[in-house]
Amino acid sequence: SETFFGKVDRSSVVREMEYRIVMENLKADTVNIRVMDHIPVSETDRIQIKDVEFSPKPSTRDYQEREGVMLWDLELEPKAVKDIRIKFFVKHPKDNPPWGL
């Protein structure tokens, strides 16, 4: 009745998700960038979000006391490219996939 090395039952699905935000400074001057994004926040115990990783770490977690909202304050040199990676696992019932992922 269990799979995934005995940790996830057959009625559940586990997905690894990763998002990447890429920024490039095409100007001749250094620029400051504020990036705001969010991670999923489950409102039920049937859907679980685990092992959230950020690269680089956000400057502010739970920005303005909003759970899951992250803020990065970044400085980009001329012609520089930076990326933000957000990685996590989602476990949900097979018959009830989360909306919007």
Side-chain angles (χ1 to χ4, degrees):
S1 67
E2 294 183 349
T3 59
F4 199 71
F5 304 108
K7 296 182 181 180
V8 178
D9 60 64
R10 291 180 188 262
S11 63
S12 296
V13 174
V14 175
R15 288 182 176 186
E16 180 179 13
M17 315 243 353
E18 182 171 357
Y19 293 96
R20 182 175 170 212
I21 302 167
V22 179
M23 296 146 291
E24 182 176 7
N25 181 5
L26 299 175
K27 297 185 176 199
D29 299 321
T30 300
V31 295
N32 294 315
I33 297 177
R34 292 189 105 189
V35 177
M36 189 180 341
D37 202 355
H38 69 283
I39 56 171
V41 176
S42 178
E43 295 179 357
T44 176
D45 61 348
R46 296 186 66 200
I47 299 173
Q48 298 175 358
I49 310 298
K50 294 187 176 189
D51 299 331
V52 179
E53 297 176 17
F54 299 101
S55 177
K57 301 271 188 219
S59 306
T60 306
R61 293 183 79 129
D62 297 334
Y63 181 66
Q64 295 183 341
E65 299 180 15
R66 294 171 42 202
E67 186 178 7
V69 177
M70 307 298 157
L71 177 71
W72 288 265
D73 287 311
L74 303 169
E75 185 175 285
L76 268 73
E77 299 294 326
K79 311 298 182 212
V81 177
K82 283 191 180 180
D83 64 340
I84 296 173
R85 292 177 184 265
I86 304 169
K87 181 178 172 182
F88 54 91
F89 288 90
V90 178
K91 178 182 171 190
H92 62 86
K94 278 185 182 179
D95 61 342
N96 189 18
W99 181 81
L101 287 181

